[in-house]
């Protein structure tokens, strides 16, 4: 009974890691759809979000059943309750990939990204890929040190966000208001994507150490 | 013992309702700070967010202790697990009020809102106030019908968001890129604020009916 129960706990963890893989794939495809104005790819990201939502929903049910049937304590309980919030963050990261894909769809057949900002978006996509990959490792290994280090990758994203802002607000900006809003919102989606990874990291630190994380900036 | 336990459950609910009051006050003040370019008011919203975060944190600890000590089942368990996510949504709504306040601070002593958009922002503030007030009632009464009706108020917010977008993208827009981005981001903060209220409504429906809500759009 207990061993079946611990199997269920491991399955729950695996589910969270699987979500990071789906979210990562979604954001990679959304970034490519945005850069290449690839409508089909954008649509596939938008349609694929149901799979991420369904997995989050299944994990929520699993956690609820485990808590109800097993009344776990200490670390196990923290894993399940924090896991509920981690799955919510991952689900939201999937939604942000959808927002990027919708930005691509909105401007199709044109691209929403002016050529001089192409590299910044490429870099943001790369940072997004790295931070969610690392988040998956953090969840798999329950590594509090790695978890705390997610904030360093997030700093890279914030600096890219500022870089894009400065470009849009510079006197050289020649693409008008609509393009400025497009890229600013897209940039914000990547920034929030990385913020959620940092939040997940804080929750893993909480799981491992049992210390209450500061809720400041937990979103 | 059980009665002490049910007292704790009620206190948990009261805590969520109290969060809606704090979040409502924060967004009202943030809206006024934005409209009147009131730096002091903006700073007070930004500083006051710690109180909301702390309350969310306390509720999380309460829920964890209740689940650990009492192993609640059925509705009680749904209340606590859903409550964890509701408090996370309310905490995020507080963050969005801070974002509005920071937009006001960023442009001080100027105002971030051009005169012709003033009324739209006033209306968004009014809708935000109404939807979070209603959310507090939904949480206090566990009223699934009222909960579902939050989506109707959210529609008002979405239409204001579109209205603002159209103004910014119209040929008459004379305030440049920076002002366009300012008001677009601010408008998005109000829109997300209302979205979170709808999400909370879905969770209350789940608490009351026990039916799994669709996780689609749960953020």
């Amino acid at each position: 009974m207990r061993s079946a129960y611990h199997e269920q706990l491991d399955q729950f963890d695996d589910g969270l890691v699987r979500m990071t893989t789906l979210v990562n794939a979604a954001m990679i495809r959304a970034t490519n759809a945005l850069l290449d104005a690839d409508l089909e790819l954008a649509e596939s990201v938008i349609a694929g979000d149901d799979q991420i939502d369904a997995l989050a929903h299944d994990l929520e049910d699993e956690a609820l059943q485990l808590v109800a049937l097993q009344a776990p304590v200490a670390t196990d309980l923290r894993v399940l309750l924090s896991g509920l919030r981690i799955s919510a963050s991952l689900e939201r990261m999937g939604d942000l990939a959808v927002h990027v894909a919708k930005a691509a769809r909105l401007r199709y057949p044109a691209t929403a990204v002016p050529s001089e900002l192409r590299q910044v978006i490429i870099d943001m996509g790369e940072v997004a890929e790295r931070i969610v990959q690392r988040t998956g490792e953090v969840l798999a290994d329950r590594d509090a040190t790695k978890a705390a280090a997610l904030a360093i990758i997030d700093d890279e994203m914030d600096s890219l966000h500022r870089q894009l802002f400065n470009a849009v607000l510079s006197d050289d900006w020649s693409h008008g208001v609509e393009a400025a809003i497009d890229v600013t919102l897209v940039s914000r989606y990547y920034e929030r994507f990385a913020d959620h990874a940092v939040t997940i990291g804080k929750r893993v630190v909480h799981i491992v150490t049992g210390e209450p994380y500061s809720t400041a900036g937990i979103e």
Side-chain angles (χ1 to χ4, degrees), chain A residues 57-146:
Chain A
H57 193 182
D58 293 346
L59 288 173
E60 194 161 283
D61 289 348
E62 258 174 62
L64 195 125
Q65 281 169 22
L66 278 167
V67 173
L69 299 175
Q70 305 288 353
V73 293
T75 302
D76 291 353
L77 185 62
R78 279 200 303 275
V79 170
L80 289 170
L81 296 183
S82 303
L84 281 170
R85 285 216 174 165
I86 290 171
S87 73
S89 294
L90 288 167
E91 194 183 331
R92 179 64 188 144
M93 289 167 85
D95 294 334
L96 289 164
V98 168
H99 286 327
V100 171
K102 284 184 174 172
R105 183 174 68 178
L106 184 67
R107 296 303 164 217
Y108 178 84
T111 169
V113 182
S115 54
E116 71 262 39
L117 287 181
R118 198 176 160 77
Q119 190 55 52
V120 185
I121 297 295
I122 290 170
D123 294 344
M124 287 185 132
E126 184 277 323
V127 173
E129 182 175 355
R130 189 147 38 92
I131 202 167
V132 70
Q133 257 169 12
R134 201 66 59 87
T135 303
E137 295 165 19
V138 163
L139 287 166
D141 309 342
R142 294 223 193 126
D143 183 329
T145 316
K146 252 190 199 172

Side-chain angles (χ1 to χ4, degrees), chain A residues 37-51:
Chain A
D38 184 333
L39 182 61
E40 204 175 315
L41 193 57
E43 294 288 7
S44 77
V45 173
I46 294 160
D49 193 48
D50 288 349
Q51 194 191 349

